[in-house]
């Protein structure tokens, strides 16, 4: 965090006359868990009193709570970066105007320029990330080819932020379960309002796969029964009813089924929820304790990117949905898995027989 962030709060600066006053207000935001606002005011305080290490620590504490740690893992995910780079190189044409949804540090936007795009408009709804992205893009000498919009994509309009509809949409707004960052409604909205009719989406589609596993270690991440000789089962009111991200390979497990597809999504086409029921061949006797899910992105031009447990590792991890009351399954007798999504979150569960 630095002076550029402080400058972005110049309106507030007029009101605050000293580092301590800024810090007092910052602390109020921090106590209300408004870490972005706290970070902006602590940055102002630090700009006024650069010698104060206490203020720098408080600024860092706010920033760490505001900017998710996964950004670092994501940017260092070479498989992800290489796949996007290859697909972007193949998709961008010289006269293209590109819309990049979700700037982060600006990596995909800068890839588009490197691939020859005339201009890239990239939007980031987090003002702190947007300000740092501008700095990164400037350091890489690309400020004249990339416009960073501090806005959600849904707040952008052609004729206002965009000079004309974009020829290509690039985005990486996916969590371990694919939909958790609201990719479906976001891309449907962009397709409807912000692109030329012929514009491609990168990625264009994705399929979510699942596999049934027995893994006491994964199950124990979300459920408890007896501990230290006490019945603590009532604590399960706090279980996650939805998936959480973790690496299947980190936990001893038995595979009870082969991988099977749950949903395929064509991005840009809509965001309504859906349910499906799949008969899954069981390959081994066991107790199904989790449904492990992952996705394969189709980035176009023959480039795919999988977050699956059987592919080289990515930062995403898998989406693990534990089964509260593990169900016995038998080899040769199909299990029935039901899965649903509401446009932003996938759930999968096993039906008893
Ligand atoms: C997973 S990061 C990817 C960043 C960058 N594109 C890259 O690939 O390195 C996604 C970023 O998009 C932002 N974001 C997600 N949905 C958005 C939306 N609809 N409009 C603007 N920003 C969004 C998040 O705040 C986050 O910083």
């Amino acid at each position: 965090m630095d002076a550029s962030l402080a400058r972005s709060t110049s309106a507030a600066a007029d009101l605050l006359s000293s580092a301590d006053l800024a810090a007092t207000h910052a602390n109020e935001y921090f106590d209300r868990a408004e870490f972005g606002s706290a970070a902006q005011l602590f940055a102002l305080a630090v700009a006024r009193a650069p010698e104060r290490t206490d203020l720098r620590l408080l600024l860092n504490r706010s920033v760490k709570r505001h900017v998710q740690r996964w950004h670092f893992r994501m940017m260092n995910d070479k498989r992800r970066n290489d796949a996007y780079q290859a697909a972007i190189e193949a998709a961008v044409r010289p006269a293209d105007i590109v819309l990049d949804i979700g700037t982060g540090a600006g990596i995909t936007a800068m890839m588009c320029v490197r691939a020859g795009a005339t201009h890239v408009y990239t939007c980031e709804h987090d003002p702190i990330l947007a300000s740092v992205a501008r700095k990164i893009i400037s350091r890489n000498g690309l400020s004249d080819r990339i416009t960073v919009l501090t806005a959600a994509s849904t707040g952008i309009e052609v004729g206002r932020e965009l000079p004309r509809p974009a020829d290509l949409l690039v985005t990486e707004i996916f969590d371990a379960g694919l939909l958790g960052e609201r990719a479906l409604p976001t891309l449907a909205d962009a397709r409807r309002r912000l692109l030329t009719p012929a514009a491609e989406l990168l990625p264009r589609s994705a399929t979510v796969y699942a596999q049934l596993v027995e893994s006491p270690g994964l199950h124990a991440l979300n459920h408890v029964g007896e501990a230290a000789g006490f019945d603590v089962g009532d604590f399960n009111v706090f279980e996650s009813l939805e998936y959480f991200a973790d690496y299947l390979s980190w936990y001893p497990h038995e595979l009870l089924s082969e991988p099977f597809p749950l949903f395929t999504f064509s991005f840009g086409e809509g965001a309504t929820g859906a349910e499906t029921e799949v008969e899954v061949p069981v390959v081994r006797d066991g107790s199904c304790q989790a449904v492990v899910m992952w996705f394969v992105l189709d980035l176009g031009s023959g480039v795919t990117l999988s977050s699956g447990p059987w592919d080289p590792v990515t930062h995403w991890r898998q989406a693990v949905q534990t089964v509260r009351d593990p169900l016995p399954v038998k080899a040769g007798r199909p299990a029935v898995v039901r899965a649903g999504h509401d446009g932003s979150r996938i759930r999968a569960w096993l039906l008893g027989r």
Side-chain angles (χ1 to χ4, degrees):
M1 282 298 111
D2 60 11
S4 69
L5 181 55
R7 276 197 299 276
S8 74
T9 60
S10 61
D14 295 340
L15 300 172
L16 301 168
S17 56
S18 74
D20 280 326
L21 191 52
T24 301
H25 286 283
N27 273 317
E28 285 167 10
Y29 280 115
F30 191 94
D31 290 344
R32 294 205 299 267
E34 292 178 37
F35 302 115
S37 302
Q40 288 181 313
L41 281 168
F42 276 128
L44 190 62
V46 167
R48 287 179 172 171
E51 72 290 353
R52 294 264 304 267
T53 49
D54 61 325
L55 294 178
R56 286 185 181 278
L57 274 176
L58 289 166
L59 167 59
N60 183 249
R61 208 173 283 169
S62 307
V63 166
K64 280 191 307 190
R65 299 289 289 273
H66 180 71
V67 177
Q68 307 267 320
R69 299 287 84 199
W70 53 253
H71 277 278
F72 289 98
R73 277 189 284 125
M74 175 194 73
M75 285 186 281
N76 286 312
D77 182 345
K78 189 170 176 335
R79 269 196 74 218
R80 179 198 88 114
N81 296 347
D82 287 352
Y84 266 84
Q85 178 68 49
I88 286 171
E89 292 283 350
V92 171
R93 292 158 310 169
D96 277 355
I97 286 197
V98 179
L99 171 62
D100 172 53
I101 295 184
T103 314
I107 291 176
T108 42
M110 291 190 287
M111 283 177 177
C112 292
V113 170
R114 191 158 60 190
T118 295
H119 202 91
V120 180
Y121 292 85
T122 178
C123 60
E124 172 56 61
H125 52 203
D126 184 310
I128 293 182
L129 284 174
S131 89
V132 172
R134 275 187 205 100
K135 186 172 178 183
I136 292 170
I137 287 163
S138 163
R139 185 179 297 284
N140 285 277
L142 300 174
S143 298
D144 56 336
R145 305 271 298 277
I146 300 176
T147 303
V148 179
L149 305 165
T150 305
S153 57
T154 47
I156 290 174
E157 284 181 21
V158 173
R160 202 174 60 190
E161 290 84 1
L162 285 183
R164 64 170 178 82
D167 305 297
L168 174 68
L169 184 153
V170 171
T171 195
E172 198 281 76
I173 49 169
F174 306 110
D175 74 334
L178 186 73
L179 309 181
E181 290 187 42
R182 299 186 54 75
L184 288 187
T186 299
L187 298 179
D189 170 71
R191 163 98 276 170
R192 197 164 44 78
R193 299 186 307 109
L194 304 175
L195 306 179
T196 65
E200 301 228 342
L201 275 68
L202 190 167
R204 56 177 62 161
S205 65
T207 298
V208 174
Y209 292 88
Q211 193 160 15
L212 307 183
V213 303
E214 175 171 324
S215 172
L218 277 182
H219 193 262
L221 296 176
N222 196 33
H223 308 280
V224 67
E226 180 268 358
F230 301 109
D231 177 351
V232 291
D234 286 334
F235 206 81
N236 287 322
V237 292
F238 301 124
E239 72 183 348
S240 171
L241 296 176
E242 298 180 322
Y243 64 79
F244 49 87
D246 216 325
Y247 288 111
L248 173 61
S249 62
W250 285 5
Y251 301 85
H253 59 268
E254 298 288 354
L255 299 173
L256 305 177
S257 77
E258 298 291 342
F260 52 93
L262 282 181
F263 292 104
T264 292
F265 300 99
S266 228
F267 293 127
E269 280 189 2
T272 43
E275 281 212 356
T276 186
E277 203 169 280
V278 193
E279 266 211 357
V280 181
V282 172
V283 297
R284 184 188 188 102
D285 291 358
S287 172
C288 182
Q289 293 176 309
V291 182
V292 174
M293 297 177 280
W294 64 92
F295 59 80
V296 178
L297 294 179
D298 178 356
L299 294 162
S301 315
V303 182
T304 58
L305 177 59
S306 163
S307 62
W310 317 118
D311 294 300
V313 78
T314 69
H315 76 285
W316 276 293
R317 300 171 279 179
Q318 284 80 52
V320 176
Q321 170 95 60
T322 56
V323 179
R324 183 194 297 167
D325 301 312
L327 276 174
V329 293
K330 271 205 118 11
R333 196 181 300 167
V336 180
V337 173
R338 185 172 292 168
H341 72 86
D342 59 3
S344 64
R345 212 71 187 172
I346 286 186
R347 284 192 68 210
W349 59 102
L350 205 60
L351 299 183
R353 282 226 144 157

